[in-house]
């Protein structure tokens, strides 16, 4: 993200991957809000972007681009006309008072059932002040999006425990660049606080981003404690123009419906795949499967899955089984950390039929015994 001065105000430049992030959060929030507001027991929704920036950016061509707070405010302001008996609260906060002042000039008007609170300060303090415990019939969506790998788990904790969903930007590129170089007390404390590990241990992680990703997911799971309810974490990588991961966007929810919806929205945002990584068409080249039967297969890139990888996963799971109920097939995907079923069912069925010659009926699939593509 670059920066330029515009009439004395600093406007950030939004790179394509940042614009994708805005799109994903915007689309998800719209779908999340509509789903919940249609639910009788939900009295209202609360959306929080506690590190929201000014909401205004420029793209590479100099066009004005809106960030999350303006996009979400506009969408929810429209939606709330259709739900007069429900309430919406938006909280927007940033360290910078200037940024919040710019943001305010772009926000839609509030109404009797559409409220906006703006403030400047530490976003973690705001989260600690919002009393999520006492508002059981409100549903929360928190966006936690700092510029660096800097997470305050004590502020996030209540949102993992209650009627909340949390979207966390894990700036793993900052850690890879900075953890081993961290010298000052503040820099060391930032990484230690984020990964709940001392710096000596973190340095042994080296450049292995997967260890950091795993660590963040383990912390979230541990913070959930012994809750009897299942918890779901989806994680999607965001690649820059150099095809390097800048961050992972994590979606954390106690609701499988939220988890399914986020996966679907992410795949739709990336145009039918799990990230914007440039795989250079290699994903479709047939290769010999030396570890298996020696027959041709396609390459799977765990940082950018395609529908063919979903079909391969299902075919491998159910290979040789007859008349498997579609309910069981889709349930397998519902639980998967990255693969969606909603929104992609026709494409997945087509791939199973064309590639593996599986027999698709209205209610069942009979999976052939073939190990690889035909
Ligand atoms: C990546 S931008 C946020 C983008 C925004 N969430 C969006 O999607 O449009 C990061 C912003 O977080 C702010 N920030 C970082 N740490 C913060 C903190 N602890 N409290 C408040 N603001 C913070 C920075 O000032 C910066 O404007």
């Amino acid at each position: 993200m670059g920066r330029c001065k515009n009439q004395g105000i600093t406007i950030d430049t939004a790179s394509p991957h940042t614009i994708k992030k805005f799109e994903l959060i915007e689309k998800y929030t719209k779908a999340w809000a509509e789903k919940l507001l249609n639910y009788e027991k939900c009295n209202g929704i609360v959306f929080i972007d506690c590190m929201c920036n000014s909401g205004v950016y420029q793209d590479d061509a100099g066009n004005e681009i809106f960030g999350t707070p303006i996009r979400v405010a506009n969408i929810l302001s429209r939606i709330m006309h259709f739900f007069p008996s429900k309430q919406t609260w938006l909280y927007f906060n940033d360290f910078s008072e200037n940024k919040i002042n710019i943001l305010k000039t772009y926000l839609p008007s509030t109404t009797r059932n559409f409220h906006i609170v703006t403030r400047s300060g530490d976003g973690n303090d705001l989260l600690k002040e919002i009393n999520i415990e006492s508002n059981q019939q409100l549903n929360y969506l928190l966006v936690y999006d700092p510029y660096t790998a800097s997470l305050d788990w004590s502020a996030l904790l209540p949102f993992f425990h209650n009627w909340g969903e949390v979207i966390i930007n894990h700036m793993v590129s900052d850690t890879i660049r900075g953890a081993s170089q961290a010298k000052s007390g503040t820099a060391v404390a930032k990484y230690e606080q984020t990964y709940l590990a001392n710096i000596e241990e973190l340095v042994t992680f080296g450049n292995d981003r997967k260890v950091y990703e795993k660590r963040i997911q383990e912390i979230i799971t541990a913070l959930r404690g012994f809750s009897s309810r299942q918890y779901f974490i989806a994680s999607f990588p965001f690649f820059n123009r150099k095809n390097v991961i800048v961050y992972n966007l994590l979606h954390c929810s106690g609701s499988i419906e939220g988890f399914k919806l986020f996966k679907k929205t992410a795949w739709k945002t990336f145009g039918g795949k799990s990230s914007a990584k440039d795989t250079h068409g290699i994903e479709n080249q047939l290769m010999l499967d030396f570890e298996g039967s020696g027959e041709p297969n396609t390459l799977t890139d765990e940082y950018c899955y395609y529908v063919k990888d979903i079909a391969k996963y299902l075919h491998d799971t159910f290979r040789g089984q007859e008349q498997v109920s579609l309910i069981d097939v889709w349930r397998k995907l519902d639980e998967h950390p990255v693969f969606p079923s909603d929104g992609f069912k026709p494409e997945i069925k087509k791939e199973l039929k064309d590639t593996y010659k599986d027999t698709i009926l209205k209610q069942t699939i009979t999976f052939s015994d073939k190990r690889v593509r035909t």
Side-chain angles (χ1 to χ4, degrees), residues 11-12 53-58 64-67 70 102-103 106:
I11 300 289
D12 289 338
N53 211 333
S54 66
V56 193
Y57 299 79
Q58 286 186 348
E64 187 177 61
I65 297 289
F66 289 151
I70 299 177
I102 298 170
L103 174 64
Y106 284 85

Side-chain angles (χ1 to χ4, degrees), residues 286-298 311-312 315-316 319 351-358 368-374:
L286 287 179
M287 337 251 303
L288 287 182
D289 177 18
F290 290 118
E291 285 178 11
S293 61
E295 292 171 75
N297 212 339
T298 55
K312 188 174 169 198
H315 183 79
D316 285 351
R319 185 163 60 99
E351 188 73 26
L352 287 170
K353 189 162 158 255
D354 293 353
T355 304
Y356 301 97
K357 307 290 179 255
D358 294 336
S368 74
D369 205 18
K370 293 195 168 32
R371 211 191 151 271
V372 291
R373 323 167 48 91
T374 51

Side-chain angles (χ1 to χ4, degrees), residues 7-26:
Q7 297 167 4
I9 295 160
T10 302
I11 300 289
D12 289 338
T13 306
S15 324
H17 68 269
T18 304
I19 299 173
K20 278 276 167 238
K21 176 186 71 178
F22 298 153
E23 282 173 21
L24 170 51
I25 297 176
E26 175 187 7

Side-chain angles (χ1 to χ4, degrees), residues 196-207:
L196 301 182
N198 62 40
I199 197 75
E200 288 79 18
E201 187 189 347
L202 289 176
V203 168
T204 67
F205 293 177
N207 288 348

